[in-house]
Amino acid sequence: MRTYETIAQLRQALNPARRAGHRIGFVPTMGALHEGHWSLVSQARRSCDEVVVSIFVNPLQFGPGEDMGSYPQTLERDLDGCARHGCDRVFTPSPRQMYPDHTLTRVAVRRLGEPLCGQARKGHFEGVATVVCKLFNVVGPDAAFFGEKDFQQLVIIRRMAHDLNMPVEIVGCPTVREPDGLAVSSRNVHLDADQRSRATSIAAALGEAAEFASHGQREVPQLIAHVRERIAQAGPVQIEYVEVVDPETLEALEVIDQPARMCVAAKYGSVRLIDNMPLDVAGEA
Ligand code: AMP
């Protein structure tokens, strides 16, 4: 496994593979790598000849009130894990390498960045789409792997690649969960024991809503009320949103008569967690 800090070095290293017609798989990350990330790497490993991982905490996607400085940095452990999980190349650029001057260009996927997490995190998805676009231009992947855990992000990247005719397949990968259901996240380490135990109610509530829907509950307000109540019952929490949306347009639904995704964001102290699950229409599950 090789690591690269500059765009020029990585491009040069990937040229022979590209000329040889190798399929390049790409997994963009912000580091603090865990089982969720490794599942993306495994999927890339299975379907590609070369696996490239990037580790870059992107300043552009953090808002003014969000402390990028507290984002966990575990580079040595991450590189070790990358080697063990079969990555071929790891790109670890500095902020200066990615944004050497005052860049004026931004990629905005209109409408899709506004609902759900876009409400509390203004400009976040513009930062995400811009850095992913830049990374795609650097790596030139045939396929890029993203987790369904960050469902809105996956939908936005898919739409960006489609709208801008990017020659890359966007592959969505299922959410990896702890044994008690909590979606694995680098933020989980910031939860204290009580918060950690309360946070399991998010996945439990989503699972129950999915089950109700599969048994015929099509009324979204009822499903949302159940999820809110279930999460609140577990103890102190600040629920940011519980919504059911169309999985492509992210428009809010009132009735489940089509594919639907239930999405939740909730804060335990200063730790903001997100999760989501598909809701299947009764009879079609
Ligand atoms: P991050 O490093 O948090 O920006 O995440 C990098 C990629 O890993 C994104 O595509 C995430 O959706 C994905 N990811 C993070 N957590 C999980 C998880 N628990 N299961 C599956 N994918 C995940």
Side-chain angles (χ1 to χ4, degrees):
M1 188 184 84
R2 300 285 303 271
T3 65
Y4 306 86
E5 287 176 10
T6 73
I7 291 167
Q9 285 166 350
L10 179 65
R11 278 206 173 121
Q12 201 182 8
L14 286 170
N15 273 339
R18 194 166 297 108
R19 272 200 299 273
H22 290 174
R23 182 172 162 85
I24 298 173
F26 178 43
V27 179
T29 80
M30 299 210 297
L33 303 180
H34 52 60
E35 289 305 321
H37 299 110
W38 305 136
S39 77
L40 308 186
V41 169
S42 308
Q43 184 125 346
R45 190 67 281 167
R46 280 198 294 276
S47 58
C48 299
D49 305 302
E50 288 255 354
V51 176
V52 181
V53 169
S54 66
I55 297 176
F56 178 61
V57 182
N58 175 34
L60 223 54
Q61 70 189 67
F62 288 84
E66 301 174 348
D67 186 12
M68 181 177 126
S70 70
Y71 202 85
Q73 304 260 9
T74 56
L75 186 59
E76 240 166 73
R77 191 148 55 79
D78 291 348
L79 292 178
D80 191 53
C82 283
R84 280 188 289 109
H85 288 86
C87 302
D88 299 298
R89 305 179 195 281
V90 184
F91 183 43
T92 59
S94 62
R96 219 180 148 66
Q97 180 66 206
M98 290 302 286
Y99 303 110
D101 38 40
H102 187 64
T103 53
L104 298 176
T105 307
R106 296 286 183 276
V107 180
V109 181
R110 289 157 62 183
R111 291 219 294 274
L112 298 184
E114 286 160 22
L116 305 172
C117 291
Q119 287 292 303
R121 305 190 73 187
K122 301 275 179 227
H124 169 69
F125 289 110
E126 203 172 289
V128 170
T130 302
V131 80
V132 171
C133 175
K134 282 167 72 76
L135 289 167
F136 282 1
N137 285 335
V138 170
V139 175
D142 296 283
F145 299 80
F146 292 86
E148 287 181 355
K149 152 86 168 34
D150 300 275
F151 189 72
Q152 188 171 14
Q153 169 173 284
L154 169 62
V155 171
I156 286 172
I157 299 301
R158 195 169 261 149
R159 186 66 194 224
M160 172 187 79
H162 173 268
D163 285 355
L164 298 181
N165 307 94
M166 295 175 165
V168 55
E169 180 193 347
I170 306 299
V171 183
C173 305
T175 301
V176 174
R177 299 180 178 282
E178 300 288 355
D180 61 12
L182 180 69
V184 176
S185 164
S186 40
R187 294 177 172 195
N188 294 352
V189 297
H190 297 306
L191 296 168
D192 67 30
D194 261 8
Q195 293 169 332
R196 170 71 185 74
S197 134
R198 275 179 259 148
T200 59
S201 65
I202 298 175
L206 282 168
E208 286 164 13
E211 196 166 321
F212 293 157
S214 76
H215 286 101
Q217 176 55 273
R218 294 150 58 102
E219 301 299 322
V220 166
Q222 267 87 326
L223 292 167
I224 290 179
H226 174 78
V227 168
R228 284 187 165 274
E229 206 177 298
R230 177 76 166 79
I231 294 172
Q233 262 169 10
V237 60
Q238 213 184 311
I239 298 175
E240 199 176 277
Y241 64 75
V242 179
E243 280 197 53
V244 175
V245 297
D246 177 295
E248 278 176 28
T249 65
L250 301 181
E251 276 164 17
L253 301 175
E254 283 295 310
V255 178
I256 304 174
D257 52 5
Q258 59 157 93
R261 200 92 188 178
M262 188 166 220
C263 302
V264 174
K267 276 176 101 170
Y268 294 88
S270 61
V271 188
R272 185 175 179 278
L273 302 180
I274 56 171
D275 200 351
N276 67 86
M277 275 186 206
L279 301 183
D280 287 310
V281 185
E284 291 176 22

